[in-house]
Amino acid sequence: MQSFDDLINFVMSKQVLGTIIVILVAFLIVLLLNKYISDRLKGKNSYEIKRRKTLIKLFQNIFKYIIFIVAFLIILNFFGVDTKSVIASLGVAGVIIGLALQDTVKDFI
């Protein structure tokens, strides 16, 4: 009976239960956001519709990765990992990628 109580305590711990909740919420947010973004597909001609489909897919992927990275950082925080340095590194990497892709994104849009 003691091992069953230990198993229940382990499953109900912040690490396990919190991880499951964060993953479920992240997937739910991604699904709702994808639905919201894809509902914005309205165009006058086939060229505009194709262009909007490309932009919608791009934004869906960007938001999906941002949400999953935030969920991953929250999960790491549950297990006691100091995420401040990871967040700072991601910020620096984001600035570098943004500056590197600035002209490409300008031409694309």
Side-chain angles (χ1 to χ4, degrees):
M1 195 66 174
Q2 179 65 24
S3 67
F4 183 71
D5 290 337
D6 291 340
L7 178 67
I8 294 294
N9 288 335
F10 174 73
V11 170
M12 298 303 285
S13 69
K14 182 172 87 170
Q15 287 88 7
V16 176
L17 192 61
T19 301
I20 293 170
I21 290 172
V22 167
I23 290 172
L24 290 176
V25 168
F27 276 114
L28 182 65
I29 290 172
V30 167
L31 288 175
L32 291 175
L33 199 58
N34 284 345
K35 174 83 172 116
Y36 177 77
I37 291 172
S38 64
D39 285 346
R40 301 297 171 240
L41 178 64
K42 294 177 182 140
K44 297 176 183 166
N45 54 31
S46 63
Y47 171 74
E48 192 173 316
I49 290 173
K50 288 179 185 177
R51 187 171 148 232
R52 287 182 188 242
K53 279 184 182 179
T54 303
L55 288 174
I56 285 171
K57 191 67 174 167
L58 175 70
F59 283 120
Q60 285 176 338
N61 285 331
I62 289 171
F63 289 134
K64 176 176 65 173
Y65 289 122
I66 289 171
I67 290 168
F68 286 149
I69 288 171
V70 169
F72 182 70
L73 290 173
I74 292 171
I75 291 169
L76 283 178
N77 200 13
F78 284 155
F79 287 98
V81 176
D82 186 26
T83 56
K84 293 175 189 169
S85 60
V86 176
I87 292 172
S89 301
L90 287 173
V92 170
V95 168
I96 291 170
I97 291 170
L99 289 173
L101 295 177
Q102 184 177 9
D103 291 332
T104 306
V105 171
K106 237 190 293 184
D107 292 339
F108 181 72
I109 292 176

